[in-house]
Amino acid sequence: MLGMIVLVLISWLLLHFTIREPLSVLGYHPAGLRLQQFTIALLLGMLVSSAVHWTESLVTMSSWQVNPGYSWADFGAASWWNFKSVWFEELLFRGALLVLLIHWLGVRWGVVLSSVAFGMYHWFSGGVIGNIPVMIIIFATTFIMGFVWAYAYAKSGSMAIAAGSHLGWNGASSILFSDGPNGEQLLVQVTGLSYMPLAGLPSLIFFIASNTALPLILFFWIKYNIAIQSKPSQ
């Protein structure tokens, strides 16, 4: 939590002393519109993530069962962890630095450089440094997602869409389907004699497809349904 507070403070200082903009340039006004965009994006992230995990269970002939030992304390701890990690990444990559990049370099380069940084960041957060094939795959998929999230800010003038879909995707993956560093959560995958784990090329194809589904859906929603804002609302 302290890290987020420090990041917000640094963001305010950067915006104030460089381009003379308030923190509201990150786009939390008008509140009603931003809440609507956040909620729609949150639901999209949750639905797509859930669809990906259920599709994987169909392909691998596995199933899901409710974790009998799951508690509200487990849910609260996992939710808080997801909230902190998502908002840290959003403030870092779709916050003040993205605003400054767009201001100084224009939308195209601002969005691209933010996406490159987001992709490279996941080399370190994912612990894949040195494994070149995995580094390429991780960079490609996170670059695409980061590009769409940065594009969402450039088009709408707000972090709401990126933050909502990011939280929905991560929350459903880790809390509903136990796919993350928090261990077994609400649903636990059950494998039997018919279980066929994904491996090799099929695993690669599924990984790429599942990680590009949400960016594609968000891109077309943003492109055709979100009004262009030349300057974020204040």
Side-chain angles (χ1 to χ4, degrees):
M1 186 63 182
L2 179 60
M4 282 197 297
I5 294 173
V6 171
L7 198 52
V8 170
L9 178 60
I10 292 174
S11 298
W12 175 77
L13 291 171
L14 282 173
L15 292 169
H16 180 75
F17 289 105
T18 55
I19 59 176
R20 300 296 178 182
E21 291 282 5
L23 200 60
S24 59
V25 76
L26 300 182
Y28 49 82
H29 292 306
L33 173 63
R34 301 316 182 191
L35 180 60
Q36 180 187 62
Q37 291 174 342
F38 178 87
T39 303
I40 293 172
L42 178 74
L43 293 174
L44 279 174
M46 293 176 65
L47 287 171
V48 176
S49 178
S50 298
V52 165
H53 284 86
W54 279 109
T55 301
E56 182 183 6
S57 68
L58 291 175
V59 172
T60 60
M61 300 184 70
S62 59
S63 60
W64 299 94
Q65 71 174 19
V66 175
N67 181 0
Y70 198 59
S71 67
W72 283 107
D74 296 326
F75 175 78
S79 298
W80 180 235
W81 184 90
N82 275 280
F83 176 83
K84 290 189 297 181
S85 64
V86 165
W87 278 103
F88 178 82
E89 291 185 7
E90 289 306 314
L91 286 169
L92 188 60
F93 297 104
R94 262 77 60 183
L97 291 180
L98 176 58
V99 174
L100 294 176
L101 286 172
I102 290 175
H103 180 85
W104 289 330
L105 303 175
V107 171
R108 180 178 299 177
W109 279 108
V111 168
V112 168
L113 290 176
S114 171
S115 309
V116 169
F118 189 62
M120 294 176 67
Y121 165 81
H122 281 82
W123 288 343
F124 299 93
S125 65
V128 298
I129 295 292
N131 190 333
I132 302 301
V134 175
M135 288 176 67
I136 293 172
I137 295 168
I138 293 295
F139 179 83
T141 53
T142 52
F143 173 88
I144 292 170
M145 191 70 261
F147 183 91
V148 173
W149 282 335
Y151 171 68
Y153 175 84
K155 185 81 182 288
S156 69
S158 173
M159 297 171 60
I161 294 173
S165 54
H166 195 171
L167 189 62
W169 174 272
N170 282 20
S173 295
S174 63
I175 298 174
L176 288 181
F177 296 97
S178 306
D179 184 9
N182 296 304
E184 292 186 346
Q185 295 293 309
L186 181 60
L187 298 177
V188 180
Q189 191 173 26
V190 178
T191 59
L193 295 176
S194 59
Y195 176 64
M196 296 186 300
L198 287 169
L201 185 59
S203 176
L204 176 61
I205 293 173
F206 185 84
F207 178 81
I208 294 173
S210 62
N211 281 275
T212 53
L214 181 60
L216 283 173
I217 293 171
L218 286 174
F219 176 79
F220 286 110
W221 173 46
I222 296 162
K223 183 176 178 63
Y224 295 110
N225 292 282
I226 303 298
I228 296 174
Q229 298 203 6
S230 57
K231 185 177 181 180
S233 300
Q234 296 183 22

